[in-house]
Amino acid sequence: MPSLAEFEDPFWERHSNPKSGWSRVLVLPVLLYAVYHRSWKLAGITVVFTAINPLLFSSPENNDAWMTQVVLAERWWTEEQEQSVIGVSYPNVLNLLNISVTGYSFVSAYRKQPIRATLGGLASMILKFWYVGSLVRRYDEEMCE
């Protein structure tokens, strides 16, 4: 029977395709839109897309793309550095903050408060990009040593 590692490596490789990463950036805005408009079908399709997203793309030809670096840095952070993605230390605190900001965004969308939902969604995305950008910088520093 194949080991988990035999599935894990191809998953991460496909997950690191920049097309996979950039298409996932749209997930939060689409989910907020779906909640605001009570389009549970769209929300379900978006969740399914998120789950199968890495399977839709091949491994990248090289590791030069920034979004590829994001996935490599996340894997390095959690596996090699044995770090959590949520915590009170930097940069994990950004994800901790993001939980409440994202929750606020969904509550605002559900309450049909478009400005609050939009600003919350934007803040959530900024926190996520700040987090992964920090990981990429750390990863680059480590790999250049």
Side-chain angles (χ1 to χ4, degrees), residues 70-92:
V70 165
V71 175
L72 295 174
E74 286 178 320
R75 188 175 190 192
W76 165 81
W77 184 249
T78 58
E79 292 181 4
E80 292 181 36
Q81 300 300 304
E82 299 178 345
Q83 295 289 323
S84 171
V85 294
I86 298 172
V88 294
S89 63
Y90 185 81
N92 296 339

Side-chain angles (χ1 to χ4, degrees), residues 5-103:
E6 289 177 283
F7 291 109
E8 197 172 326
D9 287 339
F11 171 84
W12 278 103
E13 288 171 16
R14 295 169 77 98
H15 188 52
S16 69
N17 185 313
K19 292 175 187 171
S20 172
W22 288 115
S23 63
R24 286 190 315 271
V25 170
L26 300 174
V27 167
L28 179 63
V30 171
L31 283 175
L32 290 172
Y33 176 89
V35 170
Y36 183 86
H37 290 284
R38 308 300 193 265
S39 178
W40 308 123
K41 182 178 178 181
L42 177 59
I45 290 168
T46 304
V47 169
V48 169
F49 169 77
T50 303
I52 66 169
N53 176 285
L55 305 175
L56 301 175
F57 301 94
S58 61
S59 301
E61 293 180 16
N62 58 55
N63 295 338
D64 296 339
W66 185 78
M67 190 56 81
T68 299
Q69 293 292 311
V70 165
V71 175
L72 295 174
E74 286 178 320
R75 188 175 190 192
W76 165 81
W77 184 249
T78 58
E79 292 181 4
E80 292 181 36
Q81 300 300 304
E82 299 178 345
Q83 295 289 323
S84 171
V85 294
I86 298 172
V88 294
S89 63
Y90 185 81
N92 296 339
V93 70
L94 298 171
N95 278 340
L96 184 63
L97 292 170
N98 204 352
I99 292 170
S100 59
V101 171
T102 303

